Amino acid sequence: MESPMTVHSTDKTIFTQRESEARSYCRGFDTVFTSAQGSELTDAEGNTYIDFLAGCSSLNYGHNDPDMKQALIEHLTENKMGHALDLHTDSKAKFLSAFEEHILAPRGMDHKLMFIGPTGANAVEAAMKIARKATGRTNIIAFTNGFHGVTMGALAATGNGYHRGGAGMDTHGVTRMPYDAYADGVDSVALLDQMLSDASGGIDAPAAIMLETVQGEGGLNAASPEFVKGVEQVARKHGALFIIDDIQAGCGRTGTFFSFEEMDVMPDVVTQAKSISGFGMPMALVLVRPDYDVFGPAEHNGTFRGNTHAFVTATVAIEKFWADDKFQKELAVKSDVLREGLAAVADLVPGAFLKGRGLMQGVDVGTGELASAICGRCFEKGLVIETSGNDDQVVKVLAPLTTPMEQFRKGLEILREAATEVTGERTDIAAE
């Protein structure tokens, strides 16, 4: 006799009965996924999907990379450390050594690595606290459409009103300024400098100025190198730390390991999470220049700071993909292919235009309704892809960076076909 608790693999009842209404991605992709490999997902009914979401850029190297998986299996079978607080471990030592050799040293960076709770939001929280303690100031300057997380400190820096509304109370400690090209005809850097220079500008002296070079959730708004460099100069002039939130744009997503590498800047603090583990496991870190490494022992702590298993896979990811420039050159080629594929989609919608850079690009189709319809049709045709933007109006490609070219092109063709079908059915679009 079947147990009343038996759950069939295709039955979604348990999710609607017991999972919180806060669930989100599963509403758009209404199936039960059971396995994944590379850039492909498989559900309980045996259907396969090309993954252009990649755990919201947490799976830049794809699902179940065989080398990372093997290293993790060996770690587990040898009874290596599973949890270690922030104790010294051989796996942490290997990660730190690999990160220093292949990431920091080639880029002339002297930053220390701080391991914090395993989420991007916690990295942002730590970065903001570092700036406040180092400067003795409280104000943080963030930018319109920025998204830095939904815990209280990070949420104050997040622009999205829907998410800030979830706090249930006022968020504070942040002054929001216009991002690059946010307001037509406004030089955002000059405005920021002018307001900070004016004793009656109304902005308290900032502890830090924080930005994303590409605003992932904000709609793939890509800052120019001139803007980023200008913001850094304003921070230096006014005694503020310069923080780059590289949680979604980092680990190769924009074409280089850090999204700011070709902008002639050196952030005081960099936040990383998402793909830093290489394998989709929870891990986050804060890179901080030695002068601002101001926390005392355990002043910012967490039971799960430093995921030992993630150290193992992260080390493999760095040594496999970043020990030379081969992978980065491959990303440049894929970036061009992506731009061409998205241009074909943009041609189908009057007024549509491309946004983002590198392997973090998308198409602004004007409305969230249309973008959602296109993504929904993509799912029906075997492609998982999502939207972003202040109105969810951007169809956003976050395919694993390791996606084979043939599969990459196939996914872009599905997107074009879906957009063709949806726009063909929308008489209001055709009439514009």
Side-chain angles (χ1 to χ4, degrees):
M1 182 177 179
E2 191 174 80
S3 165
M5 292 300 294
T6 297
V7 177
H8 297 288
S9 59
T10 57
D11 185 5
K12 297 185 285 289
T13 305
I14 190 64
F15 303 114
T16 56
Q17 283 183 340
R18 286 288 170 258
E19 190 174 4
S20 164
E21 292 300 316
R23 64 190 187 278
S24 61
Y25 289 107
C26 56
R27 297 178 188 273
F29 310 115
D30 191 20
T31 190
V32 179
F33 294 103
T34 56
S35 62
Q37 182 66 52
S39 299
E40 191 170 85
L41 303 166
T42 302
D43 69 11
E45 295 179 344
N47 301 308
T48 59
Y49 304 84
I50 296 174
D51 186 4
F52 270 21
L53 178 59
C56 200
S57 203
S58 295
L59 293 158
N60 283 2
Y61 312 108
H63 297 266
N64 288 305
D65 175 271
D67 297 313
M68 297 183 209
K69 181 168 65 175
Q70 184 58 40
L72 182 58
I73 289 171
E74 291 175 3
H75 181 90
L76 294 170
T77 56
E78 293 173 7
N79 290 326
K80 293 281 192 174
M81 299 292 291
H83 178 269
L85 295 171
D86 66 349
L87 296 172
H88 297 321
T89 65
D90 54 351
S91 56
K92 184 196 289 187
K94 290 175 183 177
F95 170 75
L96 286 168
S97 297
F99 200 87
E100 180 176 34
E101 178 181 356
H102 300 303
I103 305 300
L104 296 180
R107 294 161 180 82
M109 298 174 68
D110 63 352
H111 296 64
K112 290 192 173 184
L113 274 62
M114 176 181 170
F115 301 107
I116 34 68
T119 67
N122 196 270
V124 170
E125 296 276 356
M128 294 170 74
K129 287 169 62 177
I130 286 170
R132 287 168 171 150
K133 181 169 184 180
T135 63
R137 302 172 178 178
T138 59
N139 189 32
I140 304 286
I141 292 176
F143 292 90
T144 50
N145 284 311
F147 190 95
H148 300 285
V150 295
T151 51
M152 291 304 294
L155 188 59
T158 291
N160 186 283
Y162 172 78
H163 288 96
R164 282 189 290 110
M169 61 179 288
D170 291 339
T171 54
H172 55 84
V174 170
T175 298
R176 208 170 319 281
M177 294 296 291
Y179 191 71
D180 194 17
Y182 177 78
D184 293 340
V186 175
D187 184 332
S188 297
V189 173
L191 176 63
L192 174 61
D193 185 32
Q194 182 177 356
M195 293 184 71
L196 287 174
S197 300
D198 185 348
S200 293
I203 300 180
D204 293 334
I209 306 177
M210 180 168 63
L211 59 81
E212 304 157 274
T213 66
V214 182
Q215 295 182 321
E217 299 307 302
L220 299 181
N221 307 306
S224 67
E226 293 76 18
F227 173 81
V228 178
K229 180 68 174 177
V231 171
E232 181 192 42
Q233 291 171 344
V234 171
R236 305 283 179 238
K237 177 180 177 180
H238 295 281
L241 272 62
F242 180 47
I243 301 174
I244 288 186
D245 179 343
D246 227 26
I247 290 166
Q248 188 168 141
C251 297
R253 178 53 61 183
T254 60
T256 52
F257 185 83
F258 295 112
S259 69
F260 54 83
E261 286 186 31
E262 298 173 349
M263 295 183 171
D264 190 29
V265 296
M266 185 59 71
D268 298 305
V269 181
V270 182
T271 60
Q272 290 201 299
K274 290 192 182 288
S275 278
I276 189 63
S277 80
F279 204 65
M281 290 191 293
M283 180 180 177
L285 56 84
V286 174
L287 278 62
V288 56
R289 302 201 75 173
D291 287 350
Y292 304 116
D293 185 24
V294 294
F295 282 145
E299 192 170 1
H300 184 96
N301 61 18
T303 305
F304 295 99
R305 60 192 186 275
N307 183 336
T308 303
H309 296 149
F311 286 147
V312 174
T313 55
T315 301
V316 175
I318 290 169
E319 293 176 341
K320 180 174 181 176
F321 295 104
W322 300 104
D324 56 37
D325 63 357
K326 179 182 177 182
F327 184 60
Q328 185 168 313
K329 289 179 178 178
E330 293 173 357
L331 299 184
V333 174
K334 283 183 179 173
S335 175
D336 291 338
V337 171
L338 177 57
R339 189 177 301 109
E340 293 170 4
L342 292 176
V345 175
D347 288 343
L348 299 169
V349 182
F353 57 97
L354 271 59
K355 301 187 74 177
R357 63 184 175 92
L359 275 294
M360 192 176 182
Q361 297 187 61
V363 181
D364 188 318
V365 298
T367 70
E369 179 187 4
L370 179 57
S372 179
I374 291 172
C375 290
R377 186 62 55 87
C378 283
F379 184 60
E380 294 172 4
K381 299 170 75 67
L383 176 68
V384 172
I385 187 170
E386 255 288 3
T387 63
S388 74
N390 57 334
D391 189 40
D392 294 323
Q393 77 279 18
V394 178
V395 178
K396 173 184 177 183
V397 176
L398 289 178
L401 307 180
T402 53
T403 305
M405 188 62 78
E406 182 180 353
Q407 194 173 43
F408 192 52
R409 291 183 183 277
K410 181 179 178 182
L412 290 172
E413 179 59 21
I414 291 174
L415 174 56
R416 188 193 65 79
E417 290 174 357
T420 300
E421 293 173 8
V422 170
T423 55
E425 295 167 2
R426 292 282 298 271
T427 55
D428 56 328
I429 293 294
E432 289 182 4

